[in-house]
Amino acid sequence: MPLNKVFDQTVKLPTIPQVVYDLVEMTRYEKTDLSDIIDLVRRDQTIAAKVIRVANSSFYGESGRIASVERAVNLVGLQTLRTTVITSGVMSAFPQVAGISMGNYWRHGLTSAYMGAEIAGTLGVDAEEAFTAGLMQGLGVLLIQLRLPAEAKQIGTLVHPLDLAKRVSVEREILGFSHNDVTAELLLRWRFPQSVRTAIADFPEPDRAAILGKILRASSEYSWYTLSGVREELIMASLDSKLASALGLSQERLERLRGPVRDAVDAIVISS
């Protein structure tokens, strides 16, 4: 199987802190007590500090006033807590990857994640799953860079590492698989929900994808166009018209979402 090139090696796969697994599981149930979640976050000092830094960011207007996990969680809310913990855990698994600007990588992933969550929320789709899919989607690119550096360098001469839609055909030609296949397999091993894995696996073919896969394709492309400097008024025209119509996207809607998405990304990136 072609993916063996990435996964069947003696070098250990990147891992994420146990608190991430536990929080993903706990927040799947509406009746989970908030005090249990706060106790869980306290067990990991690095992630607890990250949550407190986010609460003290300018986004929440409480700079320097929040010193406890309990106050931080009460301020930012459960959804932001979940996204902060997952983001921090994944960032810790991939601190540096040769050939990739990690600052740009995380800004791309977070922009896709937050835009996906915003789109999902208006369609009655699970916004947290859309966020997770957007954040995790590019992990296959990082693993390819780490495990197959020669092939990754060859791919990099033909397409930008973060132009995820265009990478697929190049990767399949050179490797026999693509980064989204790698990500889906990694998330299987990390025990993430099947719905998220399926959305990522279906990313190359949005016409055939379920709604979460369509959202991921649109949010990922929006993120790439934003990162690569496409003017805001041209992004809508750059998106696939059929996909945009299926998701109810318009120029007005993208402009309305741009500010909140950018501010949410900055709250995470700047506090890192």
Side-chain angles (χ1 to χ4, degrees):
M1 189 175 176
L3 286 179
N4 290 347
K5 298 177 184 177
V6 175
F7 290 98
D8 286 356
Q9 296 190 22
T10 56
V11 180
K12 192 175 180 181
L13 282 172
T15 58
I16 52 179
Q18 184 63 40
V19 64
V20 177
Y21 297 116
D22 293 342
L23 185 68
V24 168
E25 186 64 22
M26 289 176 71
T27 53
R28 291 174 61 189
Y29 305 101
E30 294 183 3
K31 294 184 178 180
T32 299
D33 194 305
L34 186 60
S35 63
D36 292 335
I37 295 175
I38 291 171
D39 287 341
L40 176 66
V41 173
R42 283 176 176 150
R43 292 177 208 159
D44 189 301
Q45 292 184 348
T46 300
I47 287 182
K50 173 71 172 181
V51 172
I52 291 171
R53 283 201 302 274
V54 169
N56 279 300
S57 68
S58 59
F59 184 74
Y60 293 99
E62 295 287 343
S63 181
R65 298 185 222 178
I66 306 299
S68 71
V69 171
E70 184 173 6
R71 287 193 65 199
V73 171
N74 285 324
L75 176 65
V76 305
L78 184 56
Q79 182 173 354
T80 297
L81 171 67
R82 186 181 189 274
T83 58
T84 301
V85 171
I86 292 174
T87 302
S88 180
V90 176
M91 283 182 169
S92 70
F94 294 92
Q96 294 294 330
V97 176
I100 300 285
S101 166
M102 297 307 291
N104 284 340
Y105 175 85
W106 291 119
R107 185 165 289 278
H108 177 280
L110 286 164
T111 299
S112 177
Y114 278 111
M115 179 57 76
E118 292 285 352
I119 296 171
T122 64
L123 296 174
V125 178
D126 190 318
E128 292 184 354
E129 288 195 347
F131 179 94
T132 303
L135 180 68
M136 301 291 188
Q137 182 196 4
L139 295 182
V141 173
L142 302 184
L143 266 184
I144 290 169
Q145 290 284 141
L146 289 170
R147 296 303 184 97
L148 304 171
E151 293 90 334
K153 186 174 182 180
Q154 184 182 359
I155 293 167
T157 64
L158 301 172
V159 62
H160 193 282
L162 300 181
D163 190 352
L164 301 184
K166 286 188 177 179
R167 281 185 66 94
V168 171
S169 60
V170 177
E171 290 167 338
R172 286 177 175 172
E173 180 67 26
I174 293 173
L175 301 174
F177 56 86
S178 56
H179 69 273
N180 55 294
D181 299 321
V182 176
T183 304
E185 176 63 23
L186 178 64
L187 295 188
L188 173 63
R189 296 173 184 230
W190 279 1
R191 307 194 306 274
F192 273 73
Q194 182 176 349
S195 54
V196 172
R197 304 196 310 265
T198 299
I200 291 171
D202 291 346
F203 167 81
E205 300 179 80
D207 288 345
R208 298 174 55 186
I211 187 66
L212 190 60
K214 294 181 189 298
I215 292 170
L216 176 60
R217 179 61 176 247
S219 66
S220 179
E221 290 194 1
Y222 171 87
S223 181
W224 166 244
Y225 294 141
T226 300
L227 186 67
S228 57
V230 175
R231 295 202 311 272
E232 189 69 27
E233 63 271 19
L234 298 179
I235 290 179
M236 184 64 202
S238 301
L239 293 175
D240 180 270
S241 59
K242 186 177 179 181
L243 178 62
S245 177
L247 299 176
L249 295 177
S250 64
Q251 181 66 35
E252 180 183 4
R253 191 173 172 203
L254 284 182
E255 289 177 357
R256 189 169 63 249
L257 294 176
R258 175 180 58 180
V261 168
R262 182 189 59 236
D263 292 344
V265 172
D266 286 345
I268 297 289
V269 172
I270 293 172
S271 65
S272 296

